[in-house]
Amino acid sequence: MAFQLAPFLARSVPGIGVLGGIVGGAAALAKNARLLQEKRVTATEAAVETGKETVGAGLATAFSAVAAGAVGGGLVISLGTALVAGVAAKYAWDRGIEFVEKEFGAKGTEIVSDDDLLREEIA
């Protein structure tokens, strides 16, 4: 029988966080690969940004799972709780990273929003 990663990771909160990090990191890598190809970021900037997004997504996913489990309730309440907790955790992570970079002079990448990319493609 083949190893099944998702069910294995779903058995624990840290595993759920790893799964969220994989998904979030893949999305960040896809975005940064495009920016790198367009020469809008350096390879180092793309790697750092991908790393930050991977960890942030993993933490937000784990926090979301804990919150939904703690609140319980039906499907709608669980989904709502998971969504709100995930957004709050990712927001806090992003603001924390910005603070650390500002306070300690870390050279982070400028976060390019999808809206900015869309505006440039339309123009």
Side-chain angles (χ1 to χ4, degrees):
M1 177 178 219
F3 177 73
Q4 295 183 346
L5 180 64
F8 175 77
L9 291 175
R11 293 181 191 162
S12 68
V13 170
I16 290 170
V18 168
L19 192 56
I22 291 169
V23 173
L29 183 57
K31 179 183 91 172
N32 284 301
R34 180 173 50 143
L35 295 174
L36 185 59
Q37 184 180 28
E38 295 170 354
K39 303 205 183 314
R40 296 176 59 192
V41 296
T42 66
T44 301
E45 290 170 333
V48 168
E49 183 65 23
T50 299
K52 290 187 300 189
E53 289 297 315
T54 299
V55 174
L59 290 173
T61 304
F63 184 72
S64 177
V66 168
V71 169
L75 177 63
V76 173
I77 294 195
S78 294
L79 284 173
T81 300
L83 177 65
V84 170
V87 169
K90 184 63 168 75
Y91 181 85
W93 170 261
D94 289 346
R95 299 302 74 80
I97 289 294
E98 287 175 5
F99 175 79
V100 168
E101 289 175 345
K102 181 180 174 187
E103 282 295 309
F104 297 102
K107 301 271 185 196
T109 61
E110 179 181 335
I111 297 175
V112 179
S113 73
D114 290 335
D115 292 337
D116 292 337
L117 294 174
L118 182 60
R119 274 189 225 102
E120 287 182 17
E121 289 174 7
I122 291 173

